[in-house]
């Protein structure tokens, strides 16, 4: 799974389509900027997103037409070149997997909407290999499977292989120490959290029904966004009365932004400032390239109702639908802090660099929105960043104790 691998045909096709999309997007940005300047409004006057008219508009329209023509020709050429390139099922390097996962985190909704071959489909994997969800196939792939399943769900811009960090993998360690059989979710983290949650609920249902031995219990371990996807999945599973929820015993959240991420809220402020003037409104489009998954992190939107028929970039005081933790499931939360336990209040407030401690523990100033996770099921790792939650010995010791 490591080392340099031949270039895949689908990688070239995906990259080519993205380049064409980027060229078209940049052309639209320049056209908007040009059109607003030609109108000579006041600095904070009304802006327009309408295309330019007359000769100016004709020029930009011609550029877009030529770009699409070139893009179509390149795509056709690459399809014809498939026999000369590595097959699309060829082993993937860890480096390639990381790049594709990051790309999906940032632009995953666009990749999926445009049928770009770089879009990641949701699937279960072990050691980077997809699992076929039939009883016989799972028995062959997981010959030592037990009735205790631990589902590991990665975070934004990451992939299932990144659960192994500095030689440690929580799933593999739980298999050795506690008899769990780990399965790893690989998914497009740029899609809406609610869409991934609904799909995950269905995927766990299929997995549980096809499991080669009787299912005794299911445990979910979610890192960062993965914890939000898991909570969303539980909500949709309850609505659909899916059977797997009866086997879910425990959920452990590692650095999950239960009440949103401050960085995305900051990004939304930048959008608003850029959009305030006709001379900078074109640049607001650059910020609005970020995926639906990222904008859902602003306030931790878990359900479709929180974004459907709404402008996801618009500032809103409306809180997302409160989704309580699933009933009869023991839930645990681990937060990380860059601060040392002895002090550094500024770092303690910031948390692990991405998620505040209070958000990771599910705490909220409004008690009606608090997840009310008991103190005995909370833990803070000091002197740690967001990714340290994946491999620090103290973190695994706490997970092992709880399980």
């Amino acid at each position: 799974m490591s080392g340099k691998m031949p270039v895949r045909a689908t990688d070239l096709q995906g990259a080519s389509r993205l380049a064409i999309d980027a060229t078209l997007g940049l052309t639209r940005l320049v056209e908007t900027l040009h059109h607003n300047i030609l109108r000579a409004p006041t600095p904070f006057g009304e802006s327009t997103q309408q295309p330019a008219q007359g000769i100016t508009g004709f020029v930009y329209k011609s550029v877009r037409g030529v770009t699409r023509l070139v893009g179509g020709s390149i795509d056709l050429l690459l399809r014809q070149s498939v026999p000369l390139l590595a097959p699309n099922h060829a082993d993937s390097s860890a480096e390639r997997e990381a790049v594709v996962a990051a790309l999906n985190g940032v632009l995953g909704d666009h990749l999926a909407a445009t049928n770009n071959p770089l879009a990641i489909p949701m699937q279960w994997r072990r050691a980077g290999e997809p699992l076929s969800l039939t009883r016989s196939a799972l028995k062959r792939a997981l010959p030592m499977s037990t009735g205790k399943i631990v589902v590991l769900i990665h975070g934004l811009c990451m992939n299932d292989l990144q659960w192994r960090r500095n030689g440690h993998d929580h799933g593999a360690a739980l298999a050795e120490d506690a008899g769990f059989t780990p399965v790893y979710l690989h998914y497009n983290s740029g899609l809406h959290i609610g869409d991934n949650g609904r799909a995950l609920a269905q995927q766990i249902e299929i997995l549980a029904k096809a499991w080669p031995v009787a299912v005794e219990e299911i445990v979910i371990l979610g890192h960062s966004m993965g914890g939000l996807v898991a909570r969303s999945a539980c909500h949709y599973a309850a609505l659909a009365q899916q059977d797997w929820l009866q086997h879910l015993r425990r959920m452990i959240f590692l650095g999950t932004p239960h009440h949103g991420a401050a960085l995305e809220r900051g990004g939304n402020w930048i959008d608003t400032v850029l959009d305030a003037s006709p001379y900078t409104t074109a640049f607001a489009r650059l910020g609005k390239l970020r995926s639906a998954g990222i904008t859902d992190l602003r306030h931790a939107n878990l359900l479709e109702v929180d974004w459907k028929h709404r402008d996801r970039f618009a500032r809103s005081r409306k809180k997302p639908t409160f989704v309580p933790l699933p009933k009869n499931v023991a839930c645990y939360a681990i937060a990380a802090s860059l601060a040392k336990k002895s002090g550094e209040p500024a770092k303690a407030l910031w948390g692990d660099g991405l998620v505040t401690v209070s958000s990771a523990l599910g705490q909220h100033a409004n008690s009606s929105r608090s997840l009310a996770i008991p103190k005995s099921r909370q833990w803070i790792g000091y002197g740690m960043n967001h990714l340290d939650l994946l491999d620090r010995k103290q973190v695994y010791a706490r997970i092992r104790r709880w399980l």
Side-chain angles (χ1 to χ4, degrees):
M1 297 299 295
S2 62
K4 293 183 178 180
M5 303 299 299
V7 177
R8 289 184 177 188
T10 51
D11 289 352
L12 286 179
Q13 285 179 303
S16 169
R17 291 182 192 177
L18 268 184
I20 297 302
D21 290 346
T23 302
L24 291 170
L26 183 59
T27 302
R28 284 193 289 269
L29 185 151
V30 173
E31 181 180 13
T32 299
L33 181 62
H34 191 176
H35 192 195
N36 275 298
I37 291 173
L38 287 176
R39 293 171 59 247
T42 60
F44 294 97
E46 185 179 354
S47 62
T48 180
Q49 299 288 339
Q50 295 299 314
Q53 304 298 316
I55 296 296
T56 304
F58 174 76
V59 171
Y60 285 112
K61 185 177 181 180
S62 298
V63 170
R64 289 194 294 270
V66 170
T67 302
R68 291 192 181 97
L69 179 62
V70 171
S73 300
I74 292 175
D75 203 42
L76 178 61
L77 179 62
L78 287 174
R79 286 201 299 269
Q80 294 173 341
S81 302
V82 166
L84 304 177
L85 301 169
N88 294 325
H89 61 270
D91 288 344
S92 179
S93 68
E95 292 82 3
R96 175 192 173 275
E97 294 273 358
V99 169
V100 173
L103 190 61
N104 274 257
V106 176
L107 297 170
D109 52 346
H110 174 77
L111 296 177
T114 57
N115 295 316
N116 191 299
L118 291 174
I120 294 174
M122 182 177 284
Q123 58 186 343
W124 300 109
R125 302 208 304 183
R126 279 289 296 267
E129 294 297 323
L131 293 176
S132 180
L133 297 185
T134 65
R135 192 177 299 274
S136 58
L138 287 175
K139 191 172 184 178
R140 288 193 300 271
L142 308 170
M144 304 299 289
S145 57
T146 69
K148 298 164 63 177
I149 306 170
V150 57
V151 172
L152 294 96
I153 310 172
H154 64 75
L156 176 71
C157 292
M158 299 187 75
N159 66 69
D160 54 307
L161 296 179
Q162 290 168 311
W163 279 100
R164 177 165 292 279
R165 186 171 187 259
N166 295 325
H168 174 80
D169 176 345
H170 291 324
L174 287 172
E176 184 175 346
D177 296 341
F180 281 92
T181 302
V183 288
Y184 302 78
L185 186 72
H186 190 217
Y187 71 101
N188 180 347
S189 60
L191 299 180
H192 279 292
I193 291 172
D195 287 345
N196 276 325
R198 191 192 300 272
L200 173 58
Q202 184 61 26
Q203 286 291 316
I204 300 180
E205 181 79 344
I206 297 171
L207 178 74
K209 289 184 182 300
W211 200 247
V213 299
V215 176
E216 299 171 27
E217 66 172 309
I218 296 174
V219 171
I220 292 179
L221 187 59
H223 177 241
S224 195
M225 177 190 278
L228 298 180
V229 173
R231 286 178 56 200
S232 178
C234 290
H235 173 85
Y236 285 117
L239 288 181
Q241 297 184 323
Q242 292 175 337
D243 294 333
W244 70 267
L245 209 52
Q246 300 173 16
H247 299 292
L248 182 63
R249 299 288 182 267
R250 284 163 285 193
M251 297 175 71
I252 300 178
F253 305 106
L254 305 178
T256 294
H258 291 291
H259 298 299
L263 280 178
E264 166 52 23
R265 288 195 285 273
N268 189 239
W269 269 109
I270 293 173
D271 289 344
T272 303
V273 170
L274 289 175
D275 227 2
S277 170
Y279 294 100
T280 58
T281 186
F283 297 104
R285 288 187 176 182
L286 294 177
K288 293 177 180 179
L289 291 175
R290 63 191 189 277
S291 70
I294 292 176
T295 54
D296 276 348
L297 286 178
R298 190 184 316 147
H299 298 297
N301 294 337
L302 303 188
L303 307 181
E304 181 182 276
V305 68
D306 293 320
W307 56 263
K308 196 169 185 179
H309 305 309
R310 298 182 186 178
D311 178 1
R312 61 188 178 92
F313 296 105
R315 291 198 59 77
S316 173
R317 294 183 179 274
K318 182 177 174 60
K319 297 292 185 183
T321 305
F322 178 67
V323 179
L325 296 173
K327 295 180 180 179
N328 304 317
V329 177
C331 293
Y332 307 79
I334 293 180
S337 174
L338 297 173
K340 295 178 181 178
K341 198 168 186 177
S342 58
E344 299 183 304
K347 286 185 178 179
L349 181 65
W350 185 240
D352 61 20
L354 291 177
V355 180
T356 63
V357 169
S358 59
S359 185
L361 297 180
Q363 299 169 345
H364 198 281
N366 183 344
S367 60
S368 67
R369 301 189 69 83
S370 174
L371 294 184
I373 297 174
K375 288 285 186 181
S376 61
R377 296 176 183 174
Q378 299 177 12
W379 187 78
I380 303 171
Y382 291 94
M384 298 182 190
N385 63 40
H386 195 60
L387 294 181
D388 287 337
L389 292 167
L390 296 173
D391 69 309
R392 287 293 183 92
K393 291 181 180 179
Q394 307 97 301
V395 175
Y396 176 68
R398 181 61 51 168
I399 294 172
R400 178 69 185 88
R401 182 185 303 177
W402 284 336
L403 294 182

